[in-house]
Each structure stands twice: as structure tokens, then as C-alpha cells.
Amino acid sequence: MATLVAAPASAAPTLPAAPLTAYVQARAADAEGKVTAAAQGYALALSAQPSDPVIAVRALRQALAAGDLPLARRAGAVLRQADVAPPDLDLLVFSDAVIARDVVSQRAALGRLAGSPLGFLVPLLASWVDLPAPEIAGDGGAIPRRYAAENAALRLLATGRTAEGIAATRALLSATGGDADFRLNAAQLLARVGERDTARALLAGDDPVLARAVETLGRGSRGDARFGISRLFARMAGDLSAEGTEALAIMLSRSALLLDPGYSRARIALADALARDDAVAEARATLARIPPGDPFAGSANALGVVILQRSGDLPGALALAREQATRRDAPTASLRRYGDLLLESGQPAEAARVYARALGQAGSTADWTLYLQRGAALDRAGDWAGALPMLRRAVELAPQEPAALNYLGYAQVDRGENVAEATGMLERAHALAPKDPAIADSLGWARFRAGNLADALPLIEGAVRQAPNDVEINEHLGDVYWAAGRWVEARYAWRAAAVSASGPDAQRLAARLANGPPSSHR
């Protein structure tokens, strides 16, 4: 879903000196992601020019980002008066009307939404307030149909039609495997009516949020309109991760929190949307409001690290991950996250030590990915003897996982060890993931090392077409071209590799461009 509003086409507002300064400063703060300062500046400008829709649309979006709902409502009223209100404004209007039990305003908001791109929500929202839904055109497609099916099952559970609700829930889980949000919401409603065993069954599995939610089953799940609508809005907001959807995700999550201030899933969705909209400080402050014992506390920790990574602050992300991993009660997920960042930042030996702690903590429940990551870290740290048993254990635990097969197979082929068996692993990996360029390159490299240029070349050429900026794949292509006597094309491939190369890779490619591969003096 694209953003549903743009600023009205208009010249910059004409304002007195002080409000004009505030407007200019607000625009600057807006551009820098300083949403609180931006909202304050737009509020002052809107007070000086209370009917200007250009100021109002900016005030609305920054007010929502900053959590200043009175300003958002004031700006929304200006836009409504000018007949340029964005469709998603009625999500906030409807939420206010639900809280106030204002049926007239609920009907009006639903009527306006019915003719908008958000019309598919109207029957879902109407069901929670027991109103007839205005007619809408179509159902919006597969994703809105999924929301409708989940909403219907939750509504059955909330209204005491427990047997029908359980049947609808099981049908959805059978068809889709069940989204974690839906399972949690259904479990909360089931616990509310005494179906605690059925609720616990919905939360079974490896998901840490669901595991922690068992301890809070039934709390805060009144099953009323505020519960149902807040869950629907948060569900949608969490799904909106594409570029251009940040404004809608912020509106949805703010409206969800208005309806249920304690619902941390909505706070997670809000923080993610704020960060993607460059409001990193507000996003981190939003996550900080989630208490440590909350079922979503682990998700908040993980997102906090991701937000810093996405903003380009790798040292900050590493420091936060380290702080989380060194807590006395740090879960395995925090250790793994810290290890991943250490590996990304070029500290493989330390990463291997952290992965060892994670493996020790996980014990017999450790999955193949932890063994793969520790093996990769040891390999990059120069400890191949320590890496090999880790990589073999990963393949033993997950013999059909292309990533595990590819890493162990390629590492052995490249070293000239256990070549026949390692090549077999690469063949299996390629059969399982035929469109993965890294695996195609690995198998091509194995063919090349075995002297089979005819089979190697199409595999590596295909890999380059899929991953044209990959340094290693381009370098391999150059080596194969050189061995085939196609020296001009070899240098072209090495130059392509050198564009993105750095450090030792760049030095090695410079030597190849000057002298050819190490085995040649041509």
C-alpha cells in the first residue's frame, strides 16, 4: 500500500516573521527526522495560519510521528475543512469515536472510509461496533481477505461463540500455519473465556514472543471493540514494511495505541515505521517504553539493534547488542545477535567465542544455524580445524539446508579436501536452490577446480548475471575465463569485481589485473 497523502500543491505559506521562522525550522527538523521539534514548529505555524492546508498536512504527519494527537486532530480538522483530508485520517477519527462511544461519528468515519483505498477495512471495523457496514467495491485482494478471515475468527471468540471461533481459528492455522500475532490474539481471547488449555496449545512452539505470552494469558483481553480494532490496526502496521508505507503504518500503530496503550505489538510496529521514516531517536524512545517483562521485550531488543544498523551506526548497534548479550538473563537470541554483528564488523574470533556461549546455553535445542555461524566465524578467524566439526554438525542437523551444504562443500573444495563428497554436497545444494547465485558459483568453482571448464563456465556466468556486483563471483569468472584463454574477458570480470572490493580483496584483484592469477605469469 502506498502512502495515502501528499502535501497539497501550493506555494509556501505566507506567515508573520516568528511563525515563518518556526515553519522553516520545522521543515529543517522534519528533514532530519527530529519529529518532536518539527511538530512543535508546525503547531506554532498552524496557530498563526489556522486554515492553511499546506502547514496542516505537515503538522498532521509530524504530530503522529511525535505522538502529539491533539495537534494531529487539529491539523486533520483543517484538512477536512479544505476537503483534502487523507483517507487514513479516518482511522484516527474512528478510534476516537470508539473510545467516546459516539455512534454517529463512527458511522461517518466508516462511510468516508468505504470510498477510499482503505475501504476493505470497513466491514471488519463495523463488526466490532455492531454497525451495518457501508457498501464497498471489491475485497482488496488476498491480503485483505486474510485480515477479514482472522478478524472474523477473533470476533467469534470475543462474542462468546467459542466453538465456532475455535473451528475458524483451526481452519486458518491449517491453511496458513498461523501468523504469530493472530495466534497470540486468539489465545488471549480463549483464555478470557476459560479455554486455557486450547490457548496454550496455540502458543506452543519456538517463537519467543508466544512462549513468554503464556505467562500473561488472559490479561488485558476484554474482547471488546478496543481490543479487536487495536489488534487489527497493529497487524496491518506490522505488515507494512515497504518503502512509502511509513505514514500509513504510523497512523495505524498510533491509532492502535490510542485504543490500547499497553499493547506492545503496536509499539514495535510504530518504532519500525518511525525508524524507516528516519525518526531514529523517536523510534528508540518508543522501544524504551516496552517493559522488560513484556512478551515483546525480546522483539524490542532485536529491533533496537536493527534500527541502529539500518541507520548506518554499526558501532552503536554493536554496543547495544553487547549490552544486551552481557545481561545476566540474556537469551540465546541476544548472544546470536551479538555474534552476528561481531562477524559483520570483522571480529570473527570474538564472534566464535560468543557463538560458543550461545551453543552452550541452547544445549540440545541448538539449531543448525548456530553451528553454521560458529563454523563460519572460526573459518574466518583462521581456525579451519575448529570450524570443520561445527560445519559438519550443521549439515548433520540440516541435511536439506542449501546454506549449510554450500558452506561446507565450498570450503572443502577450495582447500582441495574431501573433494568428491564436497562436490556432491554442492550438487545437492544447487538442486535444492537452483536460483541461488552463490550456490551456482560454488558448484561452478568445484567444476573448475576439477578441470571441467565446459561445465564450470555456464554456472558461474549465470551466477554473475544474477549477482552482478558480487566480488567473489566476478573474480571466479575472471579466473575461469583466464584458464580458457579468454584473457580480455578475464580482466573485464576482475575489473567488475574490483569496483566493490576493499582491503585484501582489492589488493588481490589488483595483482590479477597486473599479472593474471598466481599460477600464471602471462
Side-chain angles (χ1 to χ4, degrees):
M1 301 173 191
T3 302
L4 295 175
V5 64
S10 173
T14 303
L15 293 165
L20 179 59
T21 299
Y23 178 79
V24 171
Q25 290 175 340
R27 289 291 302 272
D30 189 337
E32 294 174 3
K34 298 177 180 177
V35 294
T36 300
Q40 291 169 349
Y42 288 134
L44 181 57
L46 191 61
S47 295
Q49 201 82 350
S51 61
D52 192 317
V54 175
I55 299 173
V57 75
R58 296 187 181 280
L60 171 66
R61 292 306 174 193
Q62 293 304 304
L64 286 167
D68 187 345
L69 295 187
L71 175 59
R73 296 183 183 102
R74 182 156 60 100
V78 174
L79 296 170
R80 180 85 66 213
Q81 183 66 31
D83 199 26
V84 292
D88 63 330
L89 177 62
D90 277 305
L91 302 176
L92 178 61
V93 173
F94 182 77
S95 300
D96 280 335
V98 168
I99 292 169
R101 300 185 180 181
D102 181 347
V103 175
V104 173
S105 295
Q106 290 171 17
R107 288 181 185 274
L110 290 174
R112 289 188 296 266
L113 280 168
S116 80
L118 294 171
F120 68 89
L121 284 173
V122 167
L124 284 62
L125 300 175
S127 73
W128 285 103
V129 291
D130 296 318
L131 287 176
E135 187 174 343
I136 61 171
D139 62 6
I143 293 177
R145 283 197 295 274
R146 186 188 71 196
Y147 292 147
E150 292 178 2
N151 191 79
L154 295 178
R155 183 65 178 147
L156 288 169
L157 294 172
T159 53
R161 297 162 68 182
T162 306
E164 293 174 78
I166 291 173
T169 298
R170 286 174 174 162
L172 277 168
L173 295 179
S174 175
T176 66
D179 175 87
D181 285 341
F182 171 64
R183 290 165 60 194
L184 175 56
N185 295 335
Q188 291 285 7
L189 292 173
L190 284 165
R192 173 179 167 268
V193 296
E195 292 279 351
R196 298 188 73 85
D197 289 342
T198 307
R200 288 192 186 94
L202 285 181
L203 302 181
D206 298 330
D207 189 301
V209 172
L210 300 185
R212 296 187 72 173
V214 172
E215 302 167 11
T216 61
L217 270 176
R219 296 181 201 166
S221 52
R222 291 175 294 177
D224 60 2
R226 294 175 69 158
F227 175 90
I229 296 166
S230 66
R231 270 55 182 176
L232 173 62
F233 285 171
R235 177 83 165 88
M236 279 187 63
D239 284 346
L240 291 172
S241 58
E243 184 177 352
T245 62
E246 296 86 358
L248 177 56
I250 291 169
M251 176 66 87
L252 284 161
S253 49
R254 284 291 185 202
S255 297
L257 286 168
L258 176 65
L259 292 161
D260 186 352
Y263 187 37
S264 295
R265 176 66 182 93
R267 216 169 286 284
I268 295 282
L270 174 61
D272 182 52
L274 287 167
R276 289 187 291 107
D277 204 33
D278 297 326
V280 173
E282 184 63 29
R284 297 187 67 194
T286 297
L287 291 177
R289 298 185 189 105
I290 296 176
D294 191 277
F296 289 95
S299 301
N301 287 339
L303 182 57
V305 173
V306 169
I307 284 171
L308 291 171
Q309 276 184 283
R310 285 195 312 221
S311 68
D313 184 4
L314 183 57
L318 194 59
L320 180 58
R322 181 187 303 113
E323 187 270 325
Q324 293 173 2
T326 52
R327 293 173 186 168
R328 181 177 300 175
D329 59 346
T332 303
S334 293
L335 295 171
R336 182 198 295 265
R337 191 160 51 245
Y338 182 37
D340 291 348
L341 279 170
L342 286 166
L343 203 56
E344 182 182 337
S345 62
Q347 302 177 63
E350 181 59 28
R353 284 189 284 273
V354 173
Y355 288 134
R357 285 176 52 206
L359 282 167
Q361 184 165 302
S364 61
T365 66
D367 66 14
W368 66 273
T369 59
L370 262 177
Y371 285 98
L372 178 63
Q373 288 298 85
R374 182 158 195 256
L378 289 166
D379 180 22
R380 294 184 195 179
D383 183 4
W384 173 241
L388 185 56
M390 295 290 108
L391 299 172
R392 283 179 171 157
R393 180 59 176 159
V395 170
E396 180 184 332
L397 289 172
Q400 299 301 311
E401 284 292 342
L405 292 164
N406 180 59
Y407 198 110
L408 178 56
Y410 176 79
Q412 291 185 104
V413 163
D414 202 44
R415 289 173 170 83
E417 298 177 5
N418 196 26
V419 172
E421 184 181 344
T423 301
M425 290 181 195
L426 295 175
E427 289 168 345
R428 278 163 42 211
H430 186 56
L432 290 164
K435 295 183 179 180
D436 188 313
I439 293 174
D441 171 65
S442 295
L443 182 56
W445 191 245
R447 299 277 189 251
F448 170 65
R449 293 292 296 265
N452 189 347
L453 296 182
D455 285 350
L457 195 54
L459 283 165
I460 300 179
E461 284 179 327
V464 166
R465 284 193 294 271
Q466 290 178 275
N469 298 319
D470 189 283
V471 173
E472 187 173 27
I473 297 175
N474 275 292
E475 182 178 357
H476 284 170
L477 181 60
D479 289 359
V480 175
Y481 278 149
W482 188 275
R486 297 163 62 173
W487 303 316
V488 173
E489 290 166 284
R491 286 197 164 93
Y492 182 86
W494 290 329
R495 286 192 184 95
V499 170
S500 302
S502 60
D505 290 340
Q507 296 171 11
R508 187 177 61 253
L509 286 161
R512 271 170 161 69
L513 285 165
N515 305 309
S519 59
S520 171
H521 299 288
R522 185 177 299 277

mmCIF file of all heavy atoms in Angstrom, residues 282-306:
data_model
loop_
_atom_site.group_PDB
_atom_site.id
_atom_site.type_symbol
_atom_site.label_atom_id
_atom_site.label_comp_id
_atom_site.label_asym_id
_atom_site.label_seq_id
_atom_site.Cartn_x
_atom_site.Cartn_y
_atom_site.Cartn_z
ATOM 1 N N GLU A 282 13.137 8.996 17.958
ATOM 2 C CA GLU A 282 11.779 8.716 18.431
ATOM 3 C C GLU A 282 11.497 7.221 18.413
ATOM 4 O O GLU A 282 10.804 6.690 19.294
ATOM 5 C CB GLU A 282 10.764 9.463 17.573
ATOM 6 C CG GLU A 282 9.322 9.315 18.024
ATOM 7 C CD GLU A 282 9.061 9.901 19.408
ATOM 8 O OE1 GLU A 282 9.774 10.867 19.793
ATOM 9 O OE2 GLU A 282 8.161 9.390 20.087
ATOM 10 N N ALA A 283 12.031 6.521 17.415
ATOM 11 C CA ALA A 283 11.845 5.069 17.344
ATOM 12 C C ALA A 283 12.469 4.396 18.562
ATOM 13 O O ALA A 283 11.863 3.517 19.189
ATOM 14 C CB ALA A 283 12.459 4.533 16.058
ATOM 15 N N ARG A 284 13.675 4.797 18.923
ATOM 16 C CA ARG A 284 14.352 4.186 20.068
ATOM 17 C C ARG A 284 13.631 4.528 21.378
ATOM 18 O O ARG A 284 13.521 3.692 22.277
ATOM 19 C CB ARG A 284 15.808 4.630 20.117
ATOM 20 C CG ARG A 284 16.627 4.181 18.917
ATOM 21 C CD ARG A 284 18.098 4.499 19.088
ATOM 22 N NE ARG A 284 18.670 3.690 20.162
ATOM 23 C CZ ARG A 284 19.854 3.926 20.715
ATOM 24 N NH1 ARG A 284 20.578 4.969 20.306
ATOM 25 N NH2 ARG A 284 20.316 3.150 21.679
ATOM 26 N N ALA A 285 13.122 5.761 21.467
ATOM 27 C CA ALA A 285 12.365 6.142 22.661
ATOM 28 C C ALA A 285 11.077 5.333 22.764
ATOM 29 O O ALA A 285 10.643 4.961 23.864
ATOM 30 C CB ALA A 285 12.048 7.636 22.617
ATOM 31 N N THR A 286 10.475 5.028 21.627
ATOM 32 C CA THR A 286 9.253 4.217 21.607
ATOM 33 C C THR A 286 9.537 2.815 22.126
ATOM 34 O O THR A 286 8.775 2.262 22.932
ATOM 35 C CB THR A 286 8.697 4.157 20.172
ATOM 36 O OG1 THR A 286 8.338 5.486 19.758
ATOM 37 C CG2 THR A 286 7.482 3.251 20.084
ATOM 38 N N LEU A 287 10.633 2.221 21.689
ATOM 39 C CA LEU A 287 11.002 0.884 22.169
ATOM 40 C C LEU A 287 11.313 0.885 23.657
ATOM 41 O O LEU A 287 11.023 -0.086 24.358
ATOM 42 C CB LEU A 287 12.213 0.370 21.389
ATOM 43 C CG LEU A 287 11.995 0.041 19.917
ATOM 44 C CD1 LEU A 287 13.309 -0.371 19.271
ATOM 45 C CD2 LEU A 287 10.953 -1.057 19.743
ATOM 46 N N ALA A 288 11.885 1.969 24.143
ATOM 47 C CA ALA A 288 12.265 2.046 25.564
ATOM 48 C C ALA A 288 11.046 2.014 26.477
ATOM 49 O O ALA A 288 11.174 1.726 27.682
ATOM 50 C CB ALA A 288 13.082 3.306 25.822
ATOM 51 N N ARG A 289 9.858 2.275 25.929
ATOM 52 C CA ARG A 289 8.636 2.259 26.742
ATOM 53 C C ARG A 289 8.081 0.848 26.935
ATOM 54 O O ARG A 289 7.093 0.668 27.638
ATOM 55 C CB ARG A 289 7.573 3.160 26.105
ATOM 56 C CG ARG A 289 8.000 4.628 26.037
ATOM 57 C CD ARG A 289 6.898 5.525 25.519
ATOM 58 N NE ARG A 289 7.407 6.864 25.283
ATOM 59 C CZ ARG A 289 7.671 7.387 24.079
ATOM 60 N NH1 ARG A 289 7.444 6.668 22.991
ATOM 61 N NH2 ARG A 289 8.147 8.609 23.957
ATOM 62 N N ILE A 290 8.684 -0.146 26.303
ATOM 63 C CA ILE A 290 8.231 -1.527 26.464
ATOM 64 C C ILE A 290 8.945 -2.124 27.677
ATOM 65 O O ILE A 290 10.172 -2.200 27.706
ATOM 66 C CB ILE A 290 8.528 -2.348 25.202
ATOM 67 C CG1 ILE A 290 7.725 -1.775 24.016
ATOM 68 C CG2 ILE A 290 8.193 -3.817 25.410
ATOM 69 C CD1 ILE A 290 8.019 -2.444 22.691
ATOM 70 N N PRO A 291 8.217 -2.539 28.710
ATOM 71 C CA PRO A 291 8.870 -3.011 29.946
ATOM 72 C C PRO A 291 9.612 -4.329 29.734
ATOM 73 O O PRO A 291 9.253 -5.119 28.845
ATOM 74 C CB PRO A 291 7.698 -3.179 30.919
ATOM 75 C CG PRO A 291 6.482 -3.324 30.062
ATOM 76 C CD PRO A 291 6.748 -2.532 28.814
ATOM 77 N N PRO A 292 10.632 -4.600 30.544
ATOM 78 C CA PRO A 292 11.465 -5.801 30.356
ATOM 79 C C PRO A 292 10.682 -7.105 30.407
ATOM 80 O O PRO A 292 11.027 -8.065 29.726
ATOM 81 C CB PRO A 292 12.472 -5.707 31.504
ATOM 82 C CG PRO A 292 12.521 -4.264 31.870
ATOM 83 C CD PRO A 292 11.153 -3.729 31.608
ATOM 84 N N GLY A 293 9.628 -7.189 31.217
ATOM 85 C CA GLY A 293 8.894 -8.439 31.339
ATOM 86 C C GLY A 293 7.829 -8.655 30.284
ATOM 87 O O GLY A 293 7.147 -9.686 30.281
ATOM 88 N N ASP A 294 7.674 -7.723 29.385
ATOM 89 C CA ASP A 294 6.638 -7.820 28.355
ATOM 90 C C ASP A 294 6.963 -8.943 27.363
ATOM 91 O O ASP A 294 8.143 -9.178 27.058
ATOM 92 C CB ASP A 294 6.549 -6.486 27.603
ATOM 93 C CG ASP A 294 5.339 -6.394 26.708
ATOM 94 O OD1 ASP A 294 5.393 -6.911 25.562
ATOM 95 O OD2 ASP A 294 4.339 -5.816 27.143
ATOM 96 N N PRO A 295 5.954 -9.664 26.862
ATOM 97 C CA PRO A 295 6.243 -10.695 25.859
ATOM 98 C C PRO A 295 7.011 -10.185 24.650
ATOM 99 O O PRO A 295 7.745 -10.941 24.012
ATOM 100 C CB PRO A 295 4.848 -11.189 25.457
ATOM 101 C CG PRO A 295 3.998 -10.936 26.659
ATOM 102 C CD PRO A 295 4.540 -9.671 27.261
ATOM 103 N N PHE A 296 6.859 -8.885 24.333
ATOM 104 C CA PHE A 296 7.537 -8.334 23.172
ATOM 105 C C PHE A 296 8.874 -7.669 23.503
ATOM 106 O O PHE A 296 9.465 -7.007 22.644
ATOM 107 C CB PHE A 296 6.626 -7.306 22.476
ATOM 108 C CG PHE A 296 5.454 -7.931 21.780
ATOM 109 C CD1 PHE A 296 4.228 -8.035 22.417
ATOM 110 C CD2 PHE A 296 5.573 -8.428 20.492
ATOM 111 C CE1 PHE A 296 3.145 -8.621 21.783
ATOM 112 C CE2 PHE A 296 4.502 -9.008 19.843
ATOM 113 C CZ PHE A 296 3.280 -9.112 20.492
ATOM 114 N N ALA A 297 9.358 -7.843 24.739
ATOM 115 C CA ALA A 297 10.620 -7.205 25.129
ATOM 116 C C ALA A 297 11.781 -7.707 24.273
ATOM 117 O O ALA A 297 12.664 -6.931 23.872
ATOM 118 C CB ALA A 297 10.899 -7.458 26.605
ATOM 119 N N GLY A 298 11.818 -9.004 23.985
ATOM 120 C CA GLY A 298 12.881 -9.537 23.130
ATOM 121 C C GLY A 298 12.830 -8.965 21.737
ATOM 122 O O GLY A 298 13.868 -8.645 21.138
ATOM 123 N N SER A 299 11.622 -8.811 21.192
ATOM 124 C CA SER A 299 11.472 -8.203 19.868
ATOM 125 C C SER A 299 11.943 -6.758 19.882
ATOM 126 O O SER A 299 12.550 -6.272 18.917
ATOM 127 C CB SER A 299 10.007 -8.269 19.428
ATOM 128 O OG SER A 299 9.551 -9.597 19.372
ATOM 129 N N ALA A 300 11.661 -6.058 20.983
ATOM 130 C CA ALA A 300 12.106 -4.672 21.104
ATOM 131 C C ALA A 300 13.630 -4.599 21.117
ATOM 132 O O ALA A 300 14.235 -3.726 20.482
ATOM 133 C CB ALA A 300 11.531 -4.044 22.370
ATOM 134 N N ASN A 301 14.274 -5.508 21.847
ATOM 135 C CA ASN A 301 15.742 -5.535 21.874
ATOM 136 C C ASN A 301 16.312 -5.762 20.476
ATOM 137 O O ASN A 301 17.256 -5.087 20.050
ATOM 138 C CB ASN A 301 16.227 -6.643 22.811
ATOM 139 C CG ASN A 301 16.020 -6.299 24.271
ATOM 140 O OD1 ASN A 301 15.877 -5.138 24.638
ATOM 141 N ND2 ASN A 301 15.992 -7.311 25.123
ATOM 142 N N ALA A 302 15.750 -6.734 19.778
ATOM 143 C CA ALA A 302 16.243 -7.046 18.434
ATOM 144 C C ALA A 302 16.044 -5.869 17.493
ATOM 145 O O ALA A 302 16.951 -5.507 16.725
ATOM 146 C CB ALA A 302 15.527 -8.278 17.895
ATOM 147 N N LEU A 303 14.870 -5.250 17.547
ATOM 148 C CA LEU A 303 14.597 -4.123 16.647
ATOM 149 C C LEU A 303 15.491 -2.936 16.969
ATOM 150 O O LEU A 303 15.927 -2.214 16.064
ATOM 151 C CB LEU A 303 13.122 -3.727 16.734
ATOM 152 C CG LEU A 303 12.682 -2.589 15.806
ATOM 153 C CD1 LEU A 303 12.975 -2.926 14.345
ATOM 154 C CD2 LEU A 303 11.201 -2.278 15.999
ATOM 155 N N GLY A 304 15.795 -2.733 18.246
ATOM 156 C CA GLY A 304 16.693 -1.639 18.611
ATOM 157 C C GLY A 304 18.041 -1.754 17.924
ATOM 158 O O GLY A 304 18.607 -0.764 17.435
ATOM 159 N N VAL A 305 18.570 -2.964 17.853
ATOM 160 C CA VAL A 305 19.842 -3.198 17.170
ATOM 161 C C VAL A 305 19.685 -2.988 15.664
ATOM 162 O O VAL A 305 20.512 -2.334 15.016
ATOM 163 C CB VAL A 305 20.360 -4.615 17.472
ATOM 164 C CG1 VAL A 305 21.605 -4.936 16.639
ATOM 165 C CG2 VAL A 305 20.676 -4.758 18.958
ATOM 166 N N VAL A 306 18.604 -3.518 15.107
ATOM 167 C CA VAL A 306 18.374 -3.393 13.669
ATOM 168 C C VAL A 306 18.231 -1.935 13.255
ATOM 169 O O VAL A 306 18.747 -1.512 12.215
ATOM 170 C CB VAL A 306 17.119 -4.194 13.262
ATOM 171 C CG1 VAL A 306 16.691 -3.862 11.831
ATOM 172 C CG2 VAL A 306 17.378 -5.686 13.392
#
